[in-house]
Amino acid sequence: MSYRLNIDLKEMFPIILYIPSFFKFGTDKIEECWARHLGVPTRDTAKTISESFLTVSKDKDLISFVRWFSNLTLEDLQVLLKTKKTFEMVRILNQAQKINIEQFSQSLSTNEPIRCSIKGIPYDENRKKVSEAIPINAILHLVREYDNSFDVYAVKILFNEEQVGYVPREIAKKIALNMDLHGEEYQAIVSSKRKRRGYHDIAIIIRKI
């Protein structure tokens, strides 16, 4: 969209970034998207939870929503959803209890470099070609992939605007949360390459910009 309109992404309204999520989750409400990304399984329940948040919370930002969501109890959900214990309720509680908001807020705050390898290169023919073209010391860009069906914390890696792969899941979760909650930006430098059958395995060093 930024390219087609010839407008720098930073000059567009922030809500533009949620368009993929609006399509994915069938809603035009940002708070409902937050709820779905955090593991609420249905649109109706996400709507109920997000409306409750907007009613009780003075602050309407994402980090306030995550903090509120992570403290939901079984009793809270029984009142909100007007039902007794269900599979959906258990799933929401499990997701809420996995959230460590302080860890999310503080992770990577020291800006220490992170060393890892790019994941997902062998599973796409174009990524294989891109991996062969990337030189040592090349600068790669990290971009959130909000519409990823398999990982809500997905962070893709681009070289010259073409995707080469993904940040490993355990690292992507921390980076994605810092991107979403604090607006932080990251890039990576290629530290080494190893030729494999049909592609190159690429090691990178990730740093906060």
Side-chain angles (χ1 to χ4, degrees):
M1 183 179 292
S2 173
Y3 172 77
R4 292 291 184 183
L5 298 177
N6 195 28
I7 301 174
D8 190 288
L9 185 60
K10 294 181 179 179
E11 296 178 1
M12 302 176 79
F13 289 110
I15 197 171
I16 294 294
L17 296 175
Y18 283 92
I19 286 180
S21 292
F22 291 160
F23 280 106
K24 179 179 180 180
F25 297 127
T27 177
D28 60 354
K29 300 295 188 297
I30 291 176
E31 295 79 12
E32 291 180 27
C33 291
W34 294 345
R36 294 300 304 277
H37 275 301
L38 288 176
V40 176
T42 66
R43 185 170 60 184
D44 287 342
T45 301
K47 181 175 184 292
T48 300
I49 287 177
S50 64
E51 287 176 349
S52 176
F53 165 74
L54 293 173
T55 300
V56 302
S57 179
K58 181 177 67 174
D59 299 313
K60 312 301 182 185
D61 56 285
L62 175 56
I63 194 168
S64 298
F65 180 82
V66 175
R67 180 175 285 111
W68 175 83
F69 182 85
S70 67
N71 285 293
L72 287 174
T73 66
L74 178 61
E75 291 74 19
D76 293 333
L77 290 174
Q78 287 175 339
V79 172
L80 288 176
L81 305 182
K82 299 178 181 178
T83 184
K84 294 296 183 180
K85 190 173 182 180
T86 64
F87 172 78
E88 183 180 39
M89 204 175 294
V90 171
R91 179 174 172 180
I92 294 171
L93 281 175
N94 287 338
Q95 289 299 111
Q97 290 167 3
K98 290 177 182 178
I99 297 174
N100 183 335
I101 189 65
E102 298 306 323
Q103 178 184 350
F104 291 170
S105 300
Q106 297 171 11
S107 60
L108 302 180
S109 59
T110 59
N111 198 24
E112 295 180 359
I114 304 169
R115 297 178 182 272
C116 62
S117 294
I118 298 176
K119 299 297 182 182
I121 297 175
Y123 307 118
D124 183 271
E125 291 302 318
N126 191 62
R127 294 180 204 165
K128 292 179 183 179
K129 294 178 182 178
V130 176
S131 75
E132 294 177 3
I134 296 176
I136 302 295
N137 295 324
I139 301 297
L140 310 179
H141 298 283
L142 276 58
V143 179
R144 282 285 276 120
E145 189 174 74
Y146 292 101
D147 58 350
N148 189 294
S149 302
F150 303 100
D151 184 5
V152 298
Y153 301 112
V155 177
K156 59 185 178 181
I157 301 173
L158 306 180
F159 174 66
N160 290 341
E161 303 301 322
E162 290 192 90
Q163 184 176 359
V164 64
Y166 291 92
V167 173
R169 181 169 295 189
E170 66 278 7
I171 298 172
K173 185 173 183 179
K174 294 181 179 180
I175 291 177
L177 288 163
N178 278 294
M179 287 177 163
D180 294 346
L181 300 179
H182 306 298
E184 294 178 356
E185 298 181 2
Y186 295 85
Q187 65 181 20
I189 185 170
V190 176
S191 58
S192 66
K193 293 179 61 175
R194 178 178 295 182
K195 186 172 179 57
R196 302 289 189 184
R197 188 173 181 178
Y199 75 101
H200 283 75
D201 186 21
I202 300 176
I204 58 175
I205 302 173
I206 300 173
R207 288 190 173 90
K208 185 167 63 176
I209 300 175

